[in-house]
Short mmCIF file of all heavy atoms in Angstrom, two decimals:
data_model
loop_
_atom_site.label_atom_id
_atom_site.label_comp_id
_atom_site.label_asym_id
_atom_site.label_seq_id
_atom_site.Cartn_x
_atom_site.Cartn_y
_atom_site.Cartn_z
N PHE A 1 21.50 7.02 6.62
CA PHE A 1 20.16 6.52 6.79
C PHE A 1 19.18 7.57 6.36
O PHE A 1 19.27 8.73 6.80
CB PHE A 1 19.86 6.10 8.22
CG PHE A 1 18.43 5.76 8.49
CD1 PHE A 1 17.98 4.52 8.23
CD2 PHE A 1 17.53 6.73 8.93
CE1 PHE A 1 16.61 4.16 8.39
CE2 PHE A 1 16.21 6.41 9.10
CZ PHE A 1 15.74 5.14 8.82
N PHE A 2 18.17 7.20 5.54
CA PHE A 2 17.18 8.16 5.15
C PHE A 2 15.80 7.72 5.65
O PHE A 2 15.39 6.51 5.45
CB PHE A 2 17.06 8.23 3.64
CG PHE A 2 15.89 9.00 3.10
CD1 PHE A 2 15.70 10.32 3.46
CD2 PHE A 2 14.91 8.35 2.36
CE1 PHE A 2 14.59 11.04 2.99
CE2 PHE A 2 13.79 9.04 1.89
CZ PHE A 2 13.62 10.35 2.21
N SER A 3 15.08 8.61 6.34
CA SER A 3 13.82 8.30 6.88
C SER A 3 12.71 8.56 5.89
O SER A 3 12.33 9.71 5.63
CB SER A 3 13.54 9.13 8.19
OG SER A 3 13.62 10.49 7.93
N SER A 4 12.25 7.45 5.26
CA SER A 4 11.13 7.58 4.35
C SER A 4 9.84 7.40 5.12
O SER A 4 9.82 7.53 6.39
CB SER A 4 11.26 6.52 3.22
OG SER A 4 10.28 6.71 2.25
N SER A 5 8.79 7.03 4.45
CA SER A 5 7.46 7.05 5.14
C SER A 5 6.52 6.00 4.51
O SER A 5 6.64 5.73 3.30
CB SER A 5 6.84 8.45 5.01
OG SER A 5 5.50 8.40 5.39
N ALA A 6 5.58 5.54 5.32
CA ALA A 6 4.52 4.68 4.78
C ALA A 6 3.57 5.39 3.82
O ALA A 6 2.83 4.81 3.12
CB ALA A 6 3.68 4.11 5.92
N CYS A 7 3.75 6.78 3.74
CA CYS A 7 2.95 7.58 2.83
C CYS A 7 3.32 7.28 1.37
O CYS A 7 2.61 7.78 0.49
CB CYS A 7 3.06 9.04 3.15
SG CYS A 7 2.24 9.57 4.68
N VAL A 8 4.37 6.51 1.15
CA VAL A 8 4.75 6.22 -0.27
C VAL A 8 3.79 5.20 -0.89
O VAL A 8 3.77 5.08 -2.09
CB VAL A 8 6.20 5.73 -0.37
CG1 VAL A 8 7.20 6.74 0.12
CG2 VAL A 8 6.39 4.40 0.40
N TYR A 9 3.03 4.43 -0.06
CA TYR A 9 2.22 3.34 -0.61
C TYR A 9 1.01 3.85 -1.38
O TYR A 9 0.46 4.91 -1.03
CB TYR A 9 1.87 2.38 0.49
CG TYR A 9 3.01 1.57 1.00
CD1 TYR A 9 3.56 1.83 2.28
CD2 TYR A 9 3.68 0.67 0.15
CE1 TYR A 9 4.71 1.10 2.71
CE2 TYR A 9 4.78 -0.07 0.59
CZ TYR A 9 5.28 0.16 1.86
OH TYR A 9 6.43 -0.53 2.28
N PRO A 10 0.59 3.10 -2.37
CA PRO A 10 -0.57 3.56 -3.24
C PRO A 10 -1.87 3.66 -2.44
O PRO A 10 -2.17 2.83 -1.54
CB PRO A 10 -0.67 2.41 -4.28
CG PRO A 10 0.65 1.77 -4.32
CD PRO A 10 1.19 1.85 -2.93
N GLN A 11 -2.59 4.70 -2.78
CA GLN A 11 -3.82 4.94 -2.16
C GLN A 11 -4.81 3.73 -2.19
O GLN A 11 -5.46 3.35 -1.23
CB GLN A 11 -4.60 6.15 -2.79
CG GLN A 11 -3.86 7.48 -2.61
CD GLN A 11 -4.63 8.63 -3.17
OE1 GLN A 11 -5.82 8.78 -3.04
NE2 GLN A 11 -3.93 9.43 -3.97
N GLU A 12 -4.88 3.15 -3.41
CA GLU A 12 -5.86 2.09 -3.63
C GLU A 12 -5.55 0.80 -2.79
O GLU A 12 -6.40 -0.04 -2.64
CB GLU A 12 -5.96 1.77 -5.10
CG GLU A 12 -4.56 1.53 -5.78
CD GLU A 12 -4.03 2.78 -6.37
OE1 GLU A 12 -4.33 3.89 -5.89
OE2 GLU A 12 -3.31 2.71 -7.39
N ASN A 13 -4.31 0.65 -2.30
CA ASN A 13 -3.92 -0.47 -1.48
C ASN A 13 -4.36 -0.26 -0.02
O ASN A 13 -4.17 -1.18 0.83
CB ASN A 13 -2.41 -0.66 -1.48
CG ASN A 13 -1.93 -1.21 -2.85
OD1 ASN A 13 -2.65 -1.19 -3.81
ND2 ASN A 13 -0.68 -1.58 -2.91
N GLN A 14 -4.89 0.93 0.29
CA GLN A 14 -5.20 1.21 1.66
C GLN A 14 -6.59 1.76 1.88
O GLN A 14 -6.88 2.57 2.75
CB GLN A 14 -4.22 2.28 2.16
CG GLN A 14 -2.76 1.82 1.98
CD GLN A 14 -1.70 2.92 2.27
OE1 GLN A 14 -1.36 3.22 3.41
NE2 GLN A 14 -1.31 3.55 1.15
N GLN A 15 -7.53 1.23 1.04
CA GLN A 15 -8.95 1.61 1.14
C GLN A 15 -9.74 0.71 2.09
O GLN A 15 -10.79 1.13 2.57
CB GLN A 15 -9.58 1.61 -0.26
CG GLN A 15 -8.99 2.65 -1.16
CD GLN A 15 -9.03 4.03 -0.57
OE1 GLN A 15 -10.10 4.55 -0.12
NE2 GLN A 15 -7.92 4.72 -0.56
N ASP A 16 -9.26 -0.47 2.31
CA ASP A 16 -9.93 -1.39 3.26
C ASP A 16 -9.28 -1.24 4.64
O ASP A 16 -8.11 -1.60 4.81
CB ASP A 16 -9.74 -2.88 2.79
CG ASP A 16 -10.49 -3.83 3.69
OD1 ASP A 16 -10.94 -3.46 4.76
OD2 ASP A 16 -10.55 -5.04 3.24
N PRO A 17 -10.02 -0.70 5.60
CA PRO A 17 -9.39 -0.43 6.93
C PRO A 17 -9.00 -1.74 7.65
O PRO A 17 -8.18 -1.71 8.53
CB PRO A 17 -10.49 0.34 7.71
CG PRO A 17 -11.77 -0.07 7.02
CD PRO A 17 -11.44 -0.28 5.55
N ASP A 18 -9.55 -2.88 7.23
CA ASP A 18 -9.24 -4.11 7.88
C ASP A 18 -8.09 -4.93 7.18
O ASP A 18 -7.59 -5.84 7.79
CB ASP A 18 -10.48 -4.99 7.98
CG ASP A 18 -11.60 -4.38 8.78
OD1 ASP A 18 -11.26 -3.77 9.84
OD2 ASP A 18 -12.77 -4.39 8.33
N ALA A 19 -7.79 -4.57 5.98
CA ALA A 19 -6.78 -5.32 5.24
C ALA A 19 -5.92 -4.51 4.28
O ALA A 19 -5.92 -4.63 3.07
CB ALA A 19 -7.45 -6.49 4.46
N PRO A 20 -5.21 -3.52 4.82
CA PRO A 20 -4.36 -2.63 3.98
C PRO A 20 -3.16 -3.46 3.46
O PRO A 20 -2.70 -4.43 4.15
CB PRO A 20 -3.90 -1.49 4.88
CG PRO A 20 -3.96 -2.13 6.27
CD PRO A 20 -5.13 -3.11 6.21
N ASP A 21 -2.63 -3.09 2.27
CA ASP A 21 -1.47 -3.78 1.71
C ASP A 21 -0.28 -2.84 1.73
O ASP A 21 -0.23 -1.95 0.87
CB ASP A 21 -1.78 -4.26 0.34
CG ASP A 21 -0.61 -5.02 -0.30
OD1 ASP A 21 0.39 -5.25 0.36
OD2 ASP A 21 -0.68 -5.35 -1.51
N CYS A 22 0.60 -3.00 2.65
CA CYS A 22 1.81 -2.21 2.71
C CYS A 22 3.08 -3.03 2.58
O CYS A 22 4.07 -2.76 3.23
CB CYS A 22 1.85 -1.38 4.02
SG CYS A 22 0.55 -0.14 4.11
N ARG A 23 3.07 -4.05 1.78
CA ARG A 23 4.29 -4.83 1.44
C ARG A 23 5.23 -3.89 0.68
O ARG A 23 4.78 -3.06 -0.14
CB ARG A 23 3.96 -6.03 0.58
CG ARG A 23 3.24 -7.13 1.27
CD ARG A 23 2.79 -8.20 0.25
NE ARG A 23 1.87 -7.68 -0.71
CZ ARG A 23 2.18 -7.49 -1.99
NH1 ARG A 23 3.40 -7.83 -2.46
NH2 ARG A 23 1.26 -7.06 -2.88
N GLU A 24 6.52 -3.98 0.95
CA GLU A 24 7.47 -3.08 0.31
C GLU A 24 7.33 -3.13 -1.22
O GLU A 24 7.50 -2.07 -1.88
CB GLU A 24 8.84 -3.39 0.73
CG GLU A 24 9.28 -3.02 2.19
CD GLU A 24 8.84 -3.97 3.20
OE1 GLU A 24 8.11 -4.95 2.88
OE2 GLU A 24 9.24 -3.78 4.35
N ASP A 25 7.12 -4.30 -1.78
CA ASP A 25 7.12 -4.40 -3.26
C ASP A 25 5.76 -3.95 -3.88
O ASP A 25 5.59 -3.96 -5.06
CB ASP A 25 7.50 -5.79 -3.72
CG ASP A 25 6.50 -6.89 -3.23
OD1 ASP A 25 5.51 -6.48 -2.54
OD2 ASP A 25 6.76 -8.03 -3.48
N SER A 26 4.83 -3.53 -3.03
CA SER A 26 3.53 -3.03 -3.50
C SER A 26 3.58 -1.57 -3.87
O SER A 26 2.55 -1.00 -4.25
CB SER A 26 2.43 -3.32 -2.47
OG SER A 26 2.54 -2.49 -1.39
N VAL A 27 4.71 -0.96 -3.64
CA VAL A 27 4.81 0.50 -3.79
C VAL A 27 4.59 0.96 -5.30
O VAL A 27 4.20 2.09 -5.50
CB VAL A 27 6.14 1.07 -3.23
CG1 VAL A 27 7.30 0.77 -4.17
CG2 VAL A 27 6.05 2.56 -2.90
N TYR A 28 4.88 0.04 -6.19
CA TYR A 28 4.61 0.35 -7.63
C TYR A 28 3.57 -0.55 -8.15
O TYR A 28 3.47 -1.70 -7.78
CB TYR A 28 5.96 0.20 -8.44
CG TYR A 28 7.01 1.14 -8.00
CD1 TYR A 28 8.08 0.76 -7.19
CD2 TYR A 28 6.98 2.51 -8.36
CE1 TYR A 28 9.04 1.62 -6.81
CE2 TYR A 28 7.92 3.39 -7.95
CZ TYR A 28 8.96 2.97 -7.19
OH TYR A 28 9.90 3.86 -6.79
N PRO A 29 2.67 -0.07 -9.12
CA PRO A 29 2.61 1.25 -9.67
C PRO A 29 2.39 2.32 -8.60
O PRO A 29 1.57 2.13 -7.75
CB PRO A 29 1.46 1.25 -10.66
CG PRO A 29 1.19 -0.26 -10.92
CD PRO A 29 1.65 -0.94 -9.69
N ALA A 30 3.08 3.43 -8.74
CA ALA A 30 3.10 4.47 -7.64
C ALA A 30 1.83 5.30 -7.68
O ALA A 30 1.41 5.74 -8.81
CB ALA A 30 4.34 5.35 -7.80
N HIS A 31 1.29 5.56 -6.51
CA HIS A 31 0.13 6.43 -6.36
C HIS A 31 0.00 6.85 -4.86
O HIS A 31 -0.98 6.52 -4.26
CB HIS A 31 -1.13 5.80 -6.90
CG HIS A 31 -2.27 6.75 -6.99
ND1 HIS A 31 -3.61 6.28 -6.99
CD2 HIS A 31 -2.39 8.08 -7.07
CE1 HIS A 31 -4.44 7.36 -7.08
NE2 HIS A 31 -3.66 8.46 -7.14
N PRO A 32 1.01 7.54 -4.33
CA PRO A 32 0.90 7.96 -2.93
C PRO A 32 -0.32 8.82 -2.67
O PRO A 32 -0.85 9.44 -3.59
CB PRO A 32 2.27 8.70 -2.71
CG PRO A 32 3.16 8.20 -3.75
CD PRO A 32 2.31 7.92 -4.95
N ASP A 33 -0.69 8.98 -1.38
CA ASP A 33 -1.83 9.68 -0.99
C ASP A 33 -1.64 11.13 -0.79
O ASP A 33 -2.55 11.82 -0.46
CB ASP A 33 -2.47 9.02 0.26
CG ASP A 33 -1.59 9.13 1.46
OD1 ASP A 33 -0.47 9.61 1.36
OD2 ASP A 33 -2.00 8.73 2.56
N SER A 34 -0.46 11.62 -0.99
CA SER A 34 -0.12 13.07 -0.74
C SER A 34 1.13 13.43 -1.47
O SER A 34 1.91 12.59 -1.85
CB SER A 34 0.07 13.26 0.77
OG SER A 34 1.15 12.49 1.28
N GLU A 35 1.40 14.74 -1.58
CA GLU A 35 2.57 15.19 -2.21
C GLU A 35 3.75 14.90 -1.26
O GLU A 35 4.88 14.71 -1.73
CB GLU A 35 2.52 16.74 -2.47
CG GLU A 35 1.37 17.12 -3.39
CD GLU A 35 1.37 16.43 -4.71
OE1 GLU A 35 2.43 15.93 -5.11
OE2 GLU A 35 0.26 16.29 -5.29
N TYR A 36 3.51 14.87 0.05
CA TYR A 36 4.53 14.43 1.02
C TYR A 36 5.04 13.00 0.65
O TYR A 36 6.23 12.68 0.63
CB TYR A 36 3.95 14.48 2.36
CG TYR A 36 4.86 13.86 3.48
CD1 TYR A 36 5.89 14.63 3.99
CD2 TYR A 36 4.60 12.60 3.95
CE1 TYR A 36 6.72 14.09 5.01
CE2 TYR A 36 5.44 12.06 4.97
CZ TYR A 36 6.45 12.77 5.50
OH TYR A 36 7.27 12.32 6.50
N GLY A 37 4.08 12.10 0.30
CA GLY A 37 4.46 10.80 -0.11
C GLY A 37 5.19 10.69 -1.38
O GLY A 37 6.11 9.94 -1.56
N TRP A 38 4.74 11.53 -2.33
CA TRP A 38 5.48 11.56 -3.65
C TRP A 38 6.91 12.04 -3.50
O TRP A 38 7.82 11.45 -4.07
CB TRP A 38 4.73 12.50 -4.59
CG TRP A 38 3.58 11.87 -5.34
CD1 TRP A 38 2.27 12.11 -5.12
CD2 TRP A 38 3.65 10.86 -6.34
NE1 TRP A 38 1.56 11.33 -5.94
CE2 TRP A 38 2.30 10.57 -6.73
CE3 TRP A 38 4.72 10.24 -6.99
CZ2 TRP A 38 2.04 9.65 -7.73
CZ3 TRP A 38 4.42 9.25 -8.00
CH2 TRP A 38 3.07 8.98 -8.30
N GLU A 39 7.08 13.03 -2.60
CA GLU A 39 8.49 13.52 -2.44
C GLU A 39 9.35 12.43 -1.78
O GLU A 39 10.50 12.23 -2.08
CB GLU A 39 8.51 14.78 -1.53
CG GLU A 39 9.85 15.48 -1.51
CD GLU A 39 10.87 14.81 -0.60
OE1 GLU A 39 10.46 14.30 0.45
OE2 GLU A 39 12.08 14.91 -0.92
N LYS A 40 8.77 11.74 -0.76
CA LYS A 40 9.51 10.63 -0.13
C LYS A 40 9.87 9.55 -1.10
O LYS A 40 10.94 8.98 -1.09
CB LYS A 40 8.68 10.02 1.04
CG LYS A 40 8.58 10.93 2.29
CD LYS A 40 9.92 11.04 3.00
CE LYS A 40 9.74 11.74 4.33
NZ LYS A 40 11.08 11.91 5.05
N LEU A 41 8.94 9.22 -1.96
CA LEU A 41 9.22 8.19 -3.00
C LEU A 41 10.36 8.62 -3.96
O LEU A 41 11.25 7.85 -4.35
CB LEU A 41 7.98 7.79 -3.78
CG LEU A 41 8.05 6.62 -4.61
CD1 LEU A 41 8.37 5.36 -3.81
CD2 LEU A 41 6.69 6.38 -5.37
N PHE A 42 10.24 9.89 -4.37
CA PHE A 42 11.34 10.44 -5.20
C PHE A 42 12.70 10.41 -4.48
O PHE A 42 13.71 9.92 -5.07
CB PHE A 42 11.05 11.89 -5.60
CG PHE A 42 12.27 12.66 -6.07
CD1 PHE A 42 12.80 12.41 -7.32
CD2 PHE A 42 12.90 13.59 -5.26
CE1 PHE A 42 13.96 13.08 -7.78
CE2 PHE A 42 14.07 14.22 -5.68
CZ PHE A 42 14.55 13.99 -6.91
N ALA A 43 12.69 10.74 -3.21
CA ALA A 43 13.93 10.75 -2.42
C ALA A 43 14.47 9.29 -2.31
O ALA A 43 15.68 9.08 -2.35
CB ALA A 43 13.68 11.37 -1.04
#
């Protein structure tokens, strides 16, 4: 089991505080909000 993170999701999908999009298939095109998120996505 590998513990990934919600930090993998694209920044632009999480700009609306009332309606973020964190569906699993929304992860691409990739644009995580941090290098931590990029490493998790690579992993």
Side-chain angles (χ1 to χ4, degrees):
F1 173 83
F2 169 63
S3 59
S4 186
S5 168
C7 289
V8 299
Y9 288 111
Q11 296 181 46
E12 49 270 28
N13 290 11
Q14 302 170 86
Q15 293 308 307
D16 182 349
D18 298 317
D21 181 5
C22 292
R23 290 173 297 112
E24 285 86 349
D25 61 4
S26 74
V27 75
Y28 296 105
H31 190 202
D33 63 357
S34 61
E35 302 306 335
Y36 173 79
W38 277 108
E39 192 284 325
K40 286 291 189 182
L41 191 58
F42 163 75

